Amino acid sequence: MVTSPPKPSQELSAGKTKALKENILTPRFYTTDFETAAQMDLSAQDTELQAMLAEMRADYNRHHFVRDEAFNESWDHITGEDRQAFINYLERSCVSEFSGFLLFKELSRKLKDRSPLLSEMFNLMARDEARHAGFLNKAMGDFGCTMDLGYLTKNRVYTFFPIEWVIYTVYLSEKIGYWRYIIIYRHLEKHPENQFYPLFRYFESWCQDENRHGDIFKALLRSQPKLWQTWQSRLWSRFFLLTVFATHTLTVHERTGFYKVLGLDATKFDAEVIRKTNESAARAFPSVLDTENPEFFDRLHRSSDLNLKMSQIDGSSQPKWLKALRKLPLQLSIFGHLLRIYLLKGVDAEALRGTVR
């Protein structure tokens, strides 16, 4: 994982003070090299970007994120572990969407006089992310705890990513978000008895925002030959795929209770999301991971089991130094499994592009 160590922080919530759990899986806030972003030559994908800008201006979800009367019910009947699992899901999702809003808004502001097309594009994506974060925050309010987004803006640690890393990671974040939302939505269409809260009815149109954003970043990636025509780009592509997939697997298996309430098997859901995202990435990246290799999911699941053991250690009453000592061999084992996955032979996406799969 490429992150900077987070600092402990607390976010105020409506009705109480709520601490946001900080660990390697917590969504980060990012900043980047705005000067390099302003100098990018986008001419190779100008037609595609102009078409997507027109689509973003159309704002198909302008009236989608409006709470209807279904939200007016009391949700006190959702209790115990089920309630906490759902709150954790809403919290992580809200922070992730708000992180995207802040990054896109700052990119739009910094590029306004240097790259008008990109500036407007980022402004419109920030609009979408703000809607998503706001909608999730209101959902949290139904369960008695909203995020103080103003406090988050000023007090969260910002991690610097070069613009090239931003393009890789945001593309993957948006595409994996699309597959997460659409798979949950389609499952609940078939099993409405598991749709315990009206938020999930919004996921079909919601995920189209994620898909559009991902397509924009695909065009940005393909406009920069060094991001897909070099041997380094092949290494970076698989590296970022692995970090996103590992984070997803560990996070999903930390929250199996939430998926159980939805009637989903967490392990099967995780595997389907990863496979679909990997297939999507093969349309943009020069190289992707071989998810069909027997070692791939085996080692991801071993890493998840080790991560759960670390969570148990964190939850103990032992001194911090002892917890750190006990977790060290587990952390090294996770690193070893992920390294072995990374060293598996990748799939040459460029060679497959244009073929029927």
Side-chain angles (χ1 to χ4, degrees), residues 202-214:
Y202 290 74
F203 276 13
E204 184 179 31
S205 294
W206 189 326
C207 75
Q208 296 306 323
D209 282 345
E210 310 288 328
N211 205 33
R212 275 188 287 270
H213 295 182

Side-chain angles (χ1 to χ4, degrees), residues 175-323:
K175 286 299 182 179
I176 203 170
Y178 166 80
W179 284 113
R180 286 174 56 82
Y181 285 129
I182 198 62
I183 289 171
I184 290 174
Y185 179 82
R186 288 170 179 167
H187 167 76
L188 292 176
E189 268 192 320
K190 296 177 182 177
H191 301 280
E193 69 277 9
N194 295 121
Q195 189 158 242
F196 63 87
Y197 183 68
L199 174 74
F200 305 110
R201 292 191 288 102
Y202 290 74
F203 276 13
E204 184 179 31
S205 294
W206 189 326
C207 75
Q208 296 306 323
D209 282 345
E210 310 288 328
N211 205 33
R212 275 188 287 270
H213 295 182
D215 287 344
I216 289 168
F217 275 88
K218 173 189 172 184
L220 292 178
L221 189 152
R222 301 300 288 189
S223 74
Q224 307 300 303
K226 67 178 179 178
L227 296 185
W228 61 277
Q229 285 188 348
T230 65
W231 65 267
Q232 294 98 326
S233 66
R234 293 176 176 273
L235 298 178
W236 281 120
S237 293
R238 296 203 304 276
F239 172 78
F240 286 115
L241 280 162
L242 179 58
T243 59
V244 168
F245 291 165
T247 300
H248 189 262
T249 296
L250 269 56
T251 303
V252 166
H253 286 91
E254 276 191 346
R255 295 167 173 81
T256 55
F258 167 69
Y259 296 99
K260 185 178 180 181
V261 174
L262 290 177
L264 283 164
D265 179 281
T267 299
K268 291 179 180 178
F269 171 76
D270 172 57
E272 185 176 4
V273 169
I274 286 176
R275 286 194 174 100
K276 292 294 187 182
T277 306
N278 200 56
E279 290 173 9
S280 295
R283 303 185 187 106
F285 288 5
S287 180
V288 296
L289 297 171
D290 182 4
T291 59
E292 300 310 311
N293 188 304
E295 284 192 54
F296 181 83
F297 280 111
D298 178 63
R299 292 192 180 278
L300 276 184
H301 294 157
R302 291 190 198 182
S303 298
S304 177
D305 291 342
L306 292 166
N307 180 63
L308 292 176
K309 289 180 180 178
M310 290 199 299
S311 295
Q312 292 174 354
I313 293 172
D314 280 331
S316 71
S317 58
Q318 293 175 329
K320 288 184 178 180
W321 68 267
L322 183 55
K323 290 182 183 180

Side-chain angles (χ1 to χ4, degrees), residues 132-198:
H132 300 169
F135 204 70
L136 288 162
N137 208 17
K138 288 179 180 178
M140 289 183 68
D142 291 340
F143 292 83
C145 51
T146 59
M147 306 297 295
D148 186 336
L149 299 179
Y151 183 91
L152 274 174
T153 304
K154 296 176 181 178
N155 291 278
R156 292 281 287 175
V157 173
Y158 285 74
T159 301
F160 176 84
F161 263 25
I163 189 63
E164 295 84 2
W165 293 8
V166 168
I167 291 173
Y168 283 125
T169 55
V170 174
Y171 169 79
L172 287 173
S173 174
E174 300 291 352
K175 286 299 182 179
I176 203 170
Y178 166 80
W179 284 113
R180 286 174 56 82
Y181 285 129
I182 198 62
I183 289 171
I184 290 174
Y185 179 82
R186 288 170 179 167
H187 167 76
L188 292 176
E189 268 192 320
K190 296 177 182 177
H191 301 280
E193 69 277 9
N194 295 121
Q195 189 158 242
F196 63 87
Y197 183 68

